[in-house]
Amino acid sequence: MIKKSLLIGSALLLLAVLAAPDAQALSPIRFGVKAGIQTQSLKMQGMNWNELSKSNNFGYQLGVMAQVPLGPVYLQPEIFYSSARFKLQGDLLNPDGTMAESDVSAKYSVNTVQLPVLVGIKLLFLRVFAGPSFNLLTDTSNKSGKEGVSFNSSVTKSAVAFQVGAGVEIGKFNIDIRYDGQFKKPVQTFTFGKNYTETVKTKMNSWQLNLGYFF
């Protein structure tokens, strides 16, 4: 609850600065908004699914950003909401290897509020950047594809990830493509039905395509 309040307060403060008519006159800092799509990969270690298949739907991200000139480089902190979506399908096994359920499918999404702090350099209209990304809030939502089989998951994502990418900036518009990776494999717990629970290590990385606009 405290984290949510801090997040909402930070977002409102940044929006207030964006709305200030003379913000550009007071500071060389530029503020903007961004939105984009992403495709993500998911790797799981230890899951007792037979012939497990994973299909990745396109996710999305949207948020706000600032750009601070620092001589030959710039600092670009951002805060945005990201939603990654997956579908799992296969035969579920018992711990002893016997069949528990056949043809089980489940869809779920991993939703995260991220705070990347990027350092970049501009070469004419081109730019490259990299930096850490702090995951502030993470939750999951899910829906089982088979009647009678409940599917629940809780994610403890890596607190610190990283981003690296490149893009072009033309006037107030910028387009970039970036890779979002994890320093360690977070733990994820799946619960099937009421009694079967399994904890596995997961690794989720994504490629993002973003469109931004500076005011």
Coordinates of all heavy atoms in Angstrom, one line a residue, residues 55-137:
S55 N 3.5 -20.1 -25.6 CA 3.3 -19.2 -26.6 C 3.3 -17.8 -26.0 O 2.7 -17.6 -25.0 CB 2.1 -19.4 -27.4 OG 0.9 -19.4 -26.6
N56 N 3.9 -16.8 -26.7 CA 4.1 -15.5 -26.1 C 3.2 -14.5 -26.9 O 3.5 -14.3 -28.1 CB 5.5 -15.0 -26.1 CG 6.4 -16.1 -25.4 OD1 6.0 -16.7 -24.5 ND2 7.7 -16.2 -25.9
N57 N 2.3 -13.9 -26.3 CA 1.5 -12.9 -27.0 C 2.2 -11.5 -26.8 O 3.1 -11.4 -26.0 CB 0.1 -12.8 -26.4 CG -0.7 -14.0 -26.5 OD1 -0.6 -14.7 -27.6 ND2 -1.5 -14.4 -25.5
F58 N 1.9 -10.6 -27.7 CA 2.5 -9.3 -27.6 C 2.0 -8.6 -26.3 O 0.8 -8.6 -26.0 CB 2.2 -8.4 -28.8 CG 3.1 -8.7 -30.0 CD1 2.6 -9.5 -31.0 CD2 4.4 -8.2 -30.0 CE1 3.4 -9.8 -32.1 CE2 5.2 -8.5 -31.1 CZ 4.7 -9.3 -32.2
G59 N 2.9 -8.0 -25.6 CA 2.6 -7.1 -24.5 C 2.7 -5.7 -24.8 O 2.9 -5.3 -26.0
Y60 N 2.6 -4.8 -23.8 CA 2.7 -3.4 -24.1 C 3.3 -2.7 -22.9 O 3.4 -3.2 -21.8 CB 1.3 -2.8 -24.4 CG 0.4 -2.8 -23.2 CD1 0.3 -1.8 -22.3 CD2 -0.4 -4.0 -23.0 CE1 -0.6 -1.8 -21.3 CE2 -1.3 -4.0 -21.9 CZ -1.4 -2.9 -21.1 OH -2.3 -3.0 -20.0
Q61 N 3.7 -1.4 -23.1 CA 4.2 -0.6 -22.0 C 3.8 0.9 -22.3 O 3.8 1.3 -23.4 CB 5.7 -0.7 -21.7 CG 6.6 -0.3 -22.9 CD 6.8 -1.5 -23.9 OE1 6.4 -2.6 -23.6 NE2 7.4 -1.1 -25.0
L62 N 3.6 1.7 -21.2 CA 3.3 3.1 -21.4 C 3.7 3.8 -20.1 O 3.6 3.3 -19.0 CB 1.8 3.3 -21.7 CG 0.8 2.7 -20.8 CD1 0.4 3.6 -19.7 CD2 -0.4 2.3 -21.6
G63 N 4.2 5.1 -20.3 CA 4.7 5.8 -19.1 C 5.2 7.2 -19.5 O 4.9 7.8 -20.5
V64 N 6.0 7.8 -18.6 CA 6.5 9.1 -18.7 C 8.0 9.0 -18.5 O 8.6 8.1 -18.0 CB 5.9 10.1 -17.7 CG1 4.4 10.3 -18.0 CG2 6.1 9.6 -16.3
M65 N 8.7 10.1 -19.0 CA 10.2 10.1 -19.0 C 10.7 11.5 -18.8 O 10.0 12.5 -19.1 CB 10.7 9.4 -20.2 CG 10.3 10.1 -21.5 SD 10.8 9.1 -23.0 CE 10.0 10.1 -24.3
A66 N 12.0 11.6 -18.5 CA 12.7 12.9 -18.4 C 14.1 12.7 -19.0 O 14.6 11.6 -19.0 CB 12.8 13.4 -17.0
Q67 N 14.6 13.8 -19.6 CA 16.0 13.7 -20.2 C 16.8 14.9 -19.7 O 16.4 16.0 -19.8 CB 15.9 13.7 -21.7 CG 17.2 13.3 -22.3 CD 17.1 13.2 -23.9 OE1 17.3 14.2 -24.6 NE2 16.6 12.1 -24.4
V68 N 17.9 14.5 -19.0 CA 18.8 15.5 -18.4 C 20.1 15.6 -19.1 O 20.9 14.6 -19.1 CB 19.0 15.2 -16.9 CG1 19.8 16.3 -16.2 CG2 17.7 14.9 -16.2
P69 N 20.4 16.7 -19.8 CA 21.7 16.8 -20.5 C 22.9 16.9 -19.5 O 22.8 17.6 -18.5 CB 21.6 18.1 -21.3 CG 20.1 18.4 -21.3 CD 19.6 17.9 -20.0
L70 N 23.9 16.1 -19.7 CA 25.1 16.1 -18.8 C 26.4 16.2 -19.7 O 27.1 15.2 -19.8 CB 25.1 14.9 -17.9 CG 24.0 14.8 -16.9 CD1 24.1 13.4 -16.2 CD2 24.0 15.9 -15.9
G71 N 26.5 17.3 -20.4 CA 27.7 17.4 -21.3 C 27.5 16.5 -22.5 O 26.5 16.5 -23.2
P72 N 28.5 15.6 -22.8 CA 28.4 14.7 -23.9 C 27.4 13.6 -23.8 O 27.1 12.9 -24.8 CB 29.9 14.2 -24.1 CG 30.4 14.2 -22.6 CD 29.8 15.4 -22.0
V73 N 26.9 13.4 -22.6 CA 26.0 12.3 -22.3 C 24.7 12.9 -21.8 O 24.6 14.1 -21.5 CB 26.5 11.2 -21.4 CG1 27.8 10.6 -22.0 CG2 26.8 11.8 -20.0
Y74 N 23.7 12.0 -21.6 CA 22.4 12.4 -21.0 C 22.0 11.3 -20.0 O 22.3 10.1 -20.2 CB 21.4 12.7 -22.0 CG 20.9 11.6 -22.8 CD1 19.9 10.7 -22.4 CD2 21.5 11.2 -24.1 CE1 19.5 9.7 -23.2 CE2 21.1 10.2 -24.8 CZ 20.1 9.4 -24.4 OH 19.7 8.3 -25.1
L75 N 21.2 11.7 -19.1 CA 20.5 10.8 -18.1 C 19.0 10.8 -18.4 O 18.4 11.9 -18.5 CB 20.8 11.3 -16.7 CG 20.3 10.4 -15.5 CD1 21.0 9.1 -15.5 CD2 20.4 11.2 -14.2
Q76 N 18.5 9.6 -18.5 CA 17.1 9.5 -18.8 C 16.3 8.6 -17.9 O 16.3 7.4 -18.1 CB 16.9 9.1 -20.3 CG 15.4 9.0 -20.7 CD 15.3 8.9 -22.2 OE1 15.9 9.7 -23.0 NE2 14.5 8.0 -22.7
P77 N 15.8 9.1 -16.8 CA 14.9 8.3 -15.9 C 13.5 8.2 -16.5 O 13.0 9.1 -17.1 CB 14.9 9.0 -14.6 CG 15.1 10.4 -15.0 CD 16.0 10.4 -16.2
E78 N 12.9 7.0 -16.3 CA 11.6 6.8 -16.8 C 10.8 6.0 -15.8 O 11.3 5.4 -14.9 CB 11.6 5.9 -18.1 CG 12.4 6.4 -19.2 CD 12.5 5.5 -20.4 OE1 12.1 4.3 -20.2 OE2 13.0 5.9 -21.4
I79 N 9.5 6.1 -15.9 CA 8.6 5.3 -15.1 C 7.4 4.8 -16.0 O 6.8 5.7 -16.6 CB 8.1 6.0 -13.8 CG1 7.3 5.0 -12.9 CG2 7.3 7.3 -14.1 CD1 6.9 5.6 -11.5
F80 N 7.2 3.5 -16.0 CA 6.2 3.0 -16.9 C 5.6 1.7 -16.4 O 6.2 1.0 -15.6 CB 6.7 2.9 -18.4 CG 7.8 1.9 -18.6 CD1 7.5 0.5 -18.8 CD2 9.1 2.3 -18.5 CE1 8.5 -0.4 -18.9 CE2 10.1 1.4 -18.7 CZ 9.8 0.0 -18.9
Y81 N 4.4 1.5 -17.0 CA 3.7 0.2 -16.7 C 3.9 -0.7 -17.8 O 3.7 -0.4 -19.0 CB 2.2 0.6 -16.5 CG 1.3 -0.7 -16.3 CD1 1.1 -1.2 -15.0 CD2 0.6 -1.2 -17.3 CE1 0.3 -2.3 -14.8 CE2 -0.2 -2.3 -17.1 CZ -0.3 -2.9 -15.9 OH -1.2 -4.0 -15.7
S82 N 4.2 -2.0 -17.5 CA 4.5 -3.0 -18.5 C 3.7 -4.2 -18.2 O 3.5 -4.7 -17.1 CB 6.0 -3.4 -18.5 OG 6.3 -4.5 -19.3
S83 N 3.1 -4.8 -19.3 CA 2.3 -6.0 -19.2 C 2.8 -7.0 -20.2 O 2.8 -6.8 -21.4 CB 0.8 -5.7 -19.5 OG 0.0 -6.8 -19.4
A84 N 3.2 -8.2 -19.7 CA 3.7 -9.3 -20.5 C 2.7 -10.4 -20.4 O 2.2 -10.7 -19.4 CB 5.1 -9.8 -20.1
R85 N 2.4 -11.1 -21.6 CA 1.3 -12.1 -21.6 C 1.9 -13.4 -22.2 O 2.6 -13.4 -23.1 CB 0.2 -11.6 -22.5 CG -0.4 -10.3 -22.0 CD -1.5 -9.7 -22.9 NE -1.9 -8.4 -22.4 CZ -2.9 -7.8 -22.9 NH1 -3.5 -8.3 -24.0 NH2 -3.3 -6.6 -22.4
F86 N 1.4 -14.5 -21.5 CA 1.9 -15.9 -21.9 C 0.7 -16.8 -21.9 O -0.3 -16.6 -21.3 CB 2.9 -16.4 -20.9 CG 4.1 -15.5 -20.8 CD1 4.2 -14.6 -19.8 CD2 5.2 -15.7 -21.7 CE1 5.3 -13.8 -19.7 CE2 6.3 -14.9 -21.5 CZ 6.4 -13.9 -20.6
K87 N 0.9 -18.0 -22.7 CA 0.0 -19.1 -22.6 C 0.8 -20.4 -22.4 O 1.7 -20.6 -23.2 CB -0.9 -19.2 -23.9 CG -1.8 -20.3 -23.9 CD -2.6 -20.4 -25.2 CE -3.6 -21.6 -25.2 NZ -4.4 -21.7 -26.4
L88 N 0.4 -21.2 -21.4 CA 1.1 -22.4 -21.2 C 0.1 -23.6 -21.5 O -1.1 -23.5 -21.2 CB 1.5 -22.6 -19.7 CG 2.3 -21.4 -19.1 CD1 2.6 -21.7 -17.7 CD2 3.6 -21.3 -19.9
Q89 N 0.6 -24.6 -22.1 CA -0.3 -25.8 -22.5 C 0.6 -27.0 -22.5 O 1.7 -27.1 -22.9 CB -0.9 -25.6 -23.9 CG -1.9 -26.6 -24.3 CD -2.7 -26.2 -25.5 OE1 -2.5 -25.2 -26.1 NE2 -3.7 -27.0 -25.8
G90 N 0.0 -28.1 -21.9 CA 0.7 -29.4 -21.8 C -0.1 -30.3 -20.9 O -1.1 -30.0 -20.4
D91 N 0.6 -31.5 -20.6 CA 0.0 -32.5 -19.7 C 0.7 -32.3 -18.3 O 1.9 -32.2 -18.2 CB 0.3 -33.9 -20.2 CG -0.4 -34.2 -21.5 OD1 -1.5 -33.6 -21.7 OD2 0.1 -35.0 -22.3
L92 N -0.1 -32.2 -17.3 CA 0.4 -31.9 -15.9 C 0.7 -33.3 -15.2 O -0.2 -34.2 -15.2 CB -0.7 -31.1 -15.1 CG -0.3 -30.8 -13.7 CD1 1.0 -29.9 -13.7 CD2 -1.4 -30.1 -13.0
L93 N 1.9 -33.4 -14.7 CA 2.3 -34.6 -14.0 C 2.2 -34.5 -12.5 O 2.4 -33.4 -12.0 CB 3.7 -35.0 -14.5 CG 4.0 -35.1 -16.0 CD1 5.4 -35.5 -16.2 CD2 3.0 -36.2 -16.6
N94 N 2.0 -35.6 -11.8 CA 2.2 -35.7 -10.4 C 3.6 -35.7 -10.0 O 4.5 -36.0 -10.9 CB 1.4 -36.9 -9.8 CG -0.1 -36.8 -9.9 OD1 -0.6 -35.7 -9.5 ND2 -0.7 -37.8 -10.4
P95 N 4.0 -35.4 -8.7 CA 5.4 -35.5 -8.3 C 6.0 -36.9 -8.6 O 7.2 -37.0 -8.8 CB 5.4 -35.2 -6.8 CG 4.1 -34.4 -6.7 CD 3.1 -34.9 -7.7
D96 N 5.2 -38.0 -8.6 CA 5.8 -39.3 -8.9 C 5.8 -39.7 -10.3 O 6.2 -40.8 -10.7 CB 4.9 -40.4 -8.1 CG 3.5 -40.4 -8.6 OD1 3.1 -39.6 -9.5 OD2 2.7 -41.2 -8.0
G97 N 5.5 -38.7 -11.2 CA 5.6 -38.9 -12.6 C 4.3 -39.4 -13.3 O 4.3 -39.5 -14.5
T98 N 3.3 -39.7 -12.6 CA 2.0 -40.2 -13.1 C 1.2 -39.0 -13.6 O 1.5 -37.8 -13.2 CB 1.2 -40.9 -12.1 OG1 0.9 -40.1 -11.0 CG2 2.0 -42.2 -11.7
M99 N 0.3 -39.2 -14.5 CA -0.5 -38.2 -15.1 C -1.5 -37.6 -14.1 O -2.2 -38.4 -13.5 CB -1.3 -38.7 -16.4 CG -2.0 -37.7 -17.1 SD -1.0 -36.6 -18.1 CE -0.4 -37.7 -19.3
A100 N -1.5 -36.3 -14.0 CA -2.5 -35.7 -13.1 C -3.7 -35.1 -13.9 O -4.8 -35.3 -13.6 CB -1.8 -34.6 -12.3
E101 N -3.3 -34.3 -14.9 CA -4.3 -33.8 -15.8 C -3.7 -33.8 -17.2 O -2.5 -33.5 -17.4 CB -4.7 -32.3 -15.4 CG -5.4 -32.2 -14.1 CD -6.9 -32.6 -14.2 OE1 -7.4 -32.8 -15.3 OE2 -7.5 -32.7 -13.1
S102 N -4.6 -34.0 -18.2 CA -4.1 -34.0 -19.6 C -4.7 -32.7 -20.3 O -5.7 -32.2 -20.0 CB -4.6 -35.2 -20.4 OG -6.0 -35.3 -20.4
D103 N -3.9 -32.2 -21.2 CA -4.2 -31.1 -22.1 C -4.7 -29.9 -21.2 O -5.7 -29.3 -21.4 CB -5.3 -31.5 -23.1 CG -5.5 -30.4 -24.2 OD1 -4.5 -29.7 -24.4 OD2 -6.6 -30.3 -24.7
V104 N -3.8 -29.5 -20.3 CA -4.1 -28.4 -19.4 C -3.6 -27.1 -20.1 O -2.4 -27.1 -20.6 CB -3.5 -28.5 -18.0 CG1 -3.7 -27.3 -17.2 CG2 -4.0 -29.8 -17.3
S105 N -4.3 -26.1 -20.1 CA -3.9 -24.8 -20.7 C -4.2 -23.7 -19.8 O -5.2 -23.7 -19.0 CB -4.5 -24.6 -22.1 OG -5.9 -24.4 -22.0
A106 N -3.4 -22.7 -19.8 CA -3.6 -21.5 -18.9 C -3.0 -20.3 -19.5 O -1.9 -20.3 -20.1 CB -3.0 -21.8 -17.5
K107 N -3.7 -19.2 -19.4 CA -3.1 -17.9 -19.8 C -2.9 -17.0 -18.6 O -3.7 -17.0 -17.7 CB -4.2 -17.2 -20.8 CG -4.5 -18.0 -22.1 CD -5.5 -17.2 -22.9 CE -5.8 -17.9 -24.2 NZ -6.9 -17.2 -25.0
Y108 N -1.8 -16.3 -18.7 CA -1.5 -15.4 -17.6 C -0.7 -14.2 -18.0 O 0.0 -14.3 -19.1 CB -0.9 -16.1 -16.4 CG 0.5 -16.4 -16.4 CD1 1.5 -15.6 -15.7 CD2 1.0 -17.4 -17.2 CE1 2.8 -15.9 -15.8 CE2 2.4 -17.7 -17.3 CZ 3.3 -16.9 -16.5 OH 4.6 -17.2 -16.6
S109 N -0.7 -13.2 -17.3 CA 0.1 -12.0 -17.6 C 0.9 -11.6 -16.4 O 0.4 -11.8 -15.2 CB -0.8 -10.8 -18.1 OG -1.7 -10.4 -17.1
V110 N 2.0 -11.0 -16.6 CA 2.9 -10.4 -15.6 C 2.9 -8.9 -15.8 O 3.4 -8.4 -16.8 CB 4.3 -11.0 -15.7 CG1 5.2 -10.4 -14.6 CG2 4.3 -12.5 -15.5
N111 N 2.4 -8.2 -14.8 CA 2.3 -6.7 -14.9 C 3.3 -6.1 -13.9 O 3.3 -6.4 -12.7 CB 0.9 -6.3 -14.5 CG -0.2 -7.1 -15.4 OD1 -0.1 -7.2 -16.6 ND2 -1.1 -7.7 -14.7
T112 N 4.1 -5.2 -14.4 CA 5.1 -4.6 -13.6 C 5.2 -3.1 -13.8 O 5.0 -2.6 -14.9 CB 6.5 -5.2 -14.0 OG1 6.4 -6.6 -14.0 CG2 7.6 -4.7 -13.1
V113 N 5.5 -2.4 -12.7 CA 5.8 -0.9 -12.8 C 7.3 -0.8 -12.7 O 7.9 -1.3 -11.7 CB 5.1 -0.1 -11.7 CG1 5.6 1.3 -11.7 CG2 3.6 -0.2 -11.8
Q114 N 8.0 -0.3 -13.7 CA 9.4 -0.2 -13.8 C 9.9 1.2 -13.8 O 9.3 2.1 -14.3 CB 9.9 -0.9 -15.1 CG 9.7 -2.4 -15.1 CD 10.2 -3.1 -16.4 OE1 9.5 -3.2 -17.4 NE2 11.4 -3.5 -16.4
L115 N 11.1 1.3 -13.2 CA 11.8 2.6 -13.2 C 13.2 2.4 -13.7 O 14.2 2.2 -13.0 CB 11.9 3.1 -11.7 CG 12.6 4.5 -11.5 CD1 12.0 5.6 -12.3 CD2 12.7 4.8 -10.0
P116 N 13.4 2.5 -15.1 CA 14.7 2.5 -15.6 C 15.5 3.8 -15.4 O 14.8 4.9 -15.5 CB 14.5 2.2 -17.1 CG 13.0 2.1 -17.3 CD 12.4 2.6 -16.1
V117 N 16.8 3.8 -15.2 CA 17.6 5.0 -15.1 C 18.7 4.8 -16.2 O 19.7 4.1 -15.9 CB 18.2 5.2 -13.7 CG1 19.0 6.4 -13.7 CG2 17.1 5.2 -12.7
L118 N 18.5 5.4 -17.3 CA 19.4 5.1 -18.5 C 20.4 6.2 -18.7 O 20.1 7.4 -18.4 CB 18.5 5.0 -19.7 CG 17.4 4.0 -19.6 CD1 16.5 4.1 -20.9 CD2 17.9 2.6 -19.5
V119 N 21.6 5.8 -19.1 CA 22.7 6.8 -19.5 C 22.9 6.6 -20.9 O 23.1 5.4 -21.4 CB 23.9 6.5 -18.7 CG1 25.0 7.5 -19.1 CG2 23.7 6.8 -17.2
G120 N 22.9 7.7 -21.7 CA 23.0 7.5 -23.2 C 23.9 8.6 -23.7 O 24.4 9.5 -23.1
I121 N 24.2 8.4 -25.0 CA 25.0 9.3 -25.8 C 24.4 9.6 -27.1 O 23.9 8.6 -27.7 CB 26.5 8.9 -25.9 CG1 27.4 9.9 -26.6 CG2 26.6 7.5 -26.6 CD1 28.8 9.6 -26.6
K122 N 24.4 10.8 -27.6 CA 23.8 11.1 -28.9 C 24.9 11.4 -29.9 O 25.9 12.0 -29.7 CB 23.0 12.4 -28.8 CG 21.7 12.3 -27.9 CD 20.9 13.6 -27.9 CE 19.7 13.5 -27.0 NZ 18.9 14.8 -27.0
L123 N 24.6 10.9 -31.1 CA 25.5 11.1 -32.3 C 24.6 11.6 -33.4 O 23.9 10.8 -34.1 CB 26.2 9.8 -32.7 CG 27.1 9.2 -31.6 CD1 27.6 7.8 -32.1 CD2 28.3 10.1 -31.3
L124 N 24.5 12.9 -33.6 CA 23.6 13.5 -34.5 C 22.2 13.2 -34.0 O 21.8 13.5 -32.9 CB 23.9 13.1 -35.9 CG 25.3 13.5 -36.5 CD1 25.5 13.0 -37.9 CD2 25.4 15.0 -36.4
F125 N 21.4 12.5 -34.8 CA 20.1 12.1 -34.5 C 20.0 10.6 -33.9 O 18.9 10.2 -33.5 CB 19.1 12.2 -35.6 CG 19.5 11.3 -36.8 CD1 19.0 10.1 -36.9 CD2 20.3 11.9 -37.8 CE1 19.4 9.3 -38.0 CE2 20.7 11.1 -38.9 CZ 20.2 9.8 -39.0
L126 N 21.1 10.0 -33.8 CA 21.2 8.6 -33.3 C 21.6 8.7 -31.8 O 22.2 9.6 -31.3 CB 22.2 7.8 -34.0 CG 22.0 7.6 -35.5 CD1 23.2 6.9 -36.2 CD2 20.7 6.9 -35.8
R127 N 21.1 7.7 -31.1 CA 21.5 7.6 -29.7 C 21.5 6.1 -29.2 O 20.8 5.3 -29.7 CB 20.5 8.4 -28.8 CG 19.1 7.9 -28.9 CD 18.2 8.9 -28.2 NE 16.8 8.5 -28.2 CZ 16.1 7.8 -27.3 NH1 16.8 7.5 -26.2 NH2 14.9 7.5 -27.4
V128 N 22.4 5.9 -28.3 CA 22.5 4.5 -27.7 C 22.5 4.8 -26.2 O 22.9 5.8 -25.6 CB 23.8 3.8 -28.1 CG1 23.8 3.5 -29.6 CG2 25.1 4.7 -27.8
F129 N 22.0 3.8 -25.4 CA 21.8 3.9 -24.0 C 21.8 2.6 -23.3 O 21.6 1.5 -23.9 CB 20.5 4.6 -23.7 CG 19.3 4.0 -24.4 CD1 18.6 3.0 -23.7 CD2 18.9 4.4 -25.6 CE1 17.5 2.4 -24.3 CE2 17.8 3.8 -26.2 CZ 17.1 2.8 -25.6
A130 N 22.0 2.6 -22.0 CA 22.0 1.4 -21.1 C 21.8 1.9 -19.7 O 22.1 3.0 -19.3 CB 23.3 0.6 -21.3
G131 N 21.4 1.0 -18.8 CA 21.2 1.3 -17.4 C 20.4 0.3 -16.7 O 19.8 -0.6 -17.3
P132 N 20.3 0.4 -15.4 CA 19.5 -0.5 -14.5 C 18.1 -0.1 -14.6 O 17.7 1.0 -14.9 CB 20.1 -0.2 -13.1 CG 20.6 1.2 -13.2 CD 21.1 1.4 -14.5
S133 N 17.2 -1.1 -14.3 CA 15.8 -0.9 -14.3 C 15.3 -1.5 -13.0 O 15.4 -2.7 -12.7 CB 15.1 -1.6 -15.5 OG 13.7 -1.4 -15.5
F134 N 14.6 -0.7 -12.2 CA 14.1 -1.1 -10.9 C 12.7 -1.5 -11.0 O 11.8 -0.7 -11.4 CB 14.3 0.0 -9.8 CG 15.8 0.4 -9.7 CD1 16.3 1.5 -10.5 CD2 16.7 -0.2 -8.9 CE1 17.6 1.9 -10.4 CE2 18.0 0.2 -8.8 CZ 18.4 1.2 -9.5
N135 N 12.3 -2.7 -10.6 CA 10.9 -3.2 -10.6 C 10.3 -2.8 -9.3 O 10.6 -3.3 -8.2 CB 10.9 -4.7 -10.8 CG 11.5 -5.1 -12.2 OD1 11.3 -4.4 -13.1 ND2 12.1 -6.2 -12.2
L136 N 9.3 -1.8 -9.4 CA 8.7 -1.3 -8.2 C 7.5 -2.2 -7.7 O 7.4 -2.4 -6.5 CB 8.2 0.1 -8.4 CG 9.3 1.1 -8.9 CD1 8.6 2.5 -9.1 CD2 10.4 1.2 -7.9
L137 N 6.7 -2.6 -8.6 CA 5.5 -3.4 -8.2 C 5.3 -4.5 -9.3 O 5.5 -4.2 -10.5 CB 4.3 -2.5 -8.2 CG 4.2 -1.4 -7.2 CD1 3.0 -0.5 -7.4 CD2 4.1 -2.0 -5.8

